[in-house]
Amino acid sequence: MPRRAGLIDTTVSELRERISTGQWPVGARIPPEPQLVELLGAGRNTVREAVQSLVHAGLLERRQGSGTYVLSTSEMAGSMSRQLADARQRDVVEVRRALEVEAARLAARRRTASDATTLLDQRDERAAAYASADLEAMVATDLALHRTIVRAAGNPVLVALYENLLDAIGENIRFNFVTDVHGHDSHDALIDAIITRDDEAAVLETSRYLTALLGES
């Protein structure tokens, strides 16, 4: 029995790793059980119990006749998502401003060459998504860009806080695109400020577009 419990724990850890690293992003359907058995090199029962464990933890969700989907990146993110389910969009933007302004400041000071390359690529992907008017791509590319800025800040506590609010932030981004409350912001000036290590400009740009979302001057 201890050995079987250990196998389940190992399988849970491997599944969790794929979720937390974004290999299986929130909203994605994970491979069906036969493929998981082959992928993880574990028995069918072990895989089934590991998946069920993550369903109970709130990371996965079974949908009848459709499969199993990633619901959240962590137990805390799932808990936060449930608590923020009825949050006002204004409240979410205010929290975003508190986190993203400091993230932009730190990213401008600490970004690596790899961060700069990623930001430029994501800026172009975001622009292409907007040009295509593909809402799902617009949301995904905008969220990816902001996550990269937060990670470039090099503060693990800030990253953890932001990652655990991803569901609420993603829904806020979707809301902003759907309502088009302030028009399209390419974020070009923000990316340029981070790449040129101009932390003051990075702060001003981030504060500007989030303040505009709040309808403040």
Side-chain angles (χ1 to χ4, degrees):
M1 188 65 177
R3 183 173 181 275
R4 174 159 174 71
L7 287 173
I8 294 173
D9 288 343
T10 298
T11 305
V12 167
S13 295
E14 292 181 6
L15 292 171
R16 191 190 301 274
E17 176 72 12
R18 286 173 167 79
I19 294 169
S20 64
T21 59
Q23 184 176 337
W24 296 338
V26 172
R29 184 175 65 180
I30 70 171
E33 191 174 280
Q35 291 183 27
L36 289 176
V37 167
E38 183 176 350
L39 177 66
L40 303 173
R44 184 178 294 269
N45 288 337
T46 298
V47 168
R48 185 174 298 132
E49 291 186 38
V51 169
Q52 188 59 36
S53 174
L54 293 181
V55 169
H56 286 311
L59 274 68
L60 297 176
E61 176 186 44
R62 294 188 190 276
R63 299 179 187 171
Q64 188 65 33
S66 179
T68 302
Y69 291 77
V70 178
L71 192 61
S72 186
T73 56
S74 71
E75 287 89 341
M76 182 179 291
S79 175
M80 291 294 292
S81 179
R82 290 189 291 274
Q83 292 181 45
L84 296 173
D86 297 323
R88 296 186 308 163
Q89 293 301 324
R90 182 181 184 85
D91 294 336
V92 176
V93 175
E94 288 177 348
V95 172
R96 286 186 61 191
R97 184 166 60 177
L99 297 177
E100 291 181 19
V101 168
E102 184 61 18
R105 183 199 314 275
L106 295 176
R109 295 176 179 177
R110 300 173 179 173
R111 65 87 180 159
T112 65
S114 177
D115 291 330
T117 299
T118 299
L119 286 171
L120 289 172
D121 289 343
Q122 290 177 332
R123 178 201 62 187
D124 294 343
E125 290 169 2
R126 183 180 183 277
Y130 194 91
S132 71
D134 182 336
L135 178 61
E136 295 305 316
M138 289 162 64
V139 173
T141 55
D142 190 66
L143 183 58
L145 180 67
H146 290 298
R147 291 178 77 185
T148 295
I149 292 172
V150 172
R151 290 171 180 167
N155 183 314
V157 177
L158 179 58
V159 171
L161 287 171
Y162 199 81
E163 291 291 314
N164 282 307
L165 291 170
L166 279 186
D167 290 347
I169 293 170
E171 285 306 308
N172 179 247
I173 289 171
R174 180 186 303 277
F175 174 84
N176 295 332
F177 277 134
V178 170
T179 58
D180 194 31
V181 292
H182 72 306
H184 177 52
D185 190 314
S186 67
H187 289 344
D188 286 357
L190 170 59
I191 302 308
D192 288 345
I194 292 173
I195 289 175
T196 59
R197 302 189 187 281
D198 187 340
D199 58 348
E200 291 186 6
V203 165
L204 287 173
E205 282 299 317
T206 306
S207 180
R208 177 188 59 76
Y209 74 77
L210 289 171
T211 298
L213 289 178
L214 292 169
E216 299 174 356
S217 58

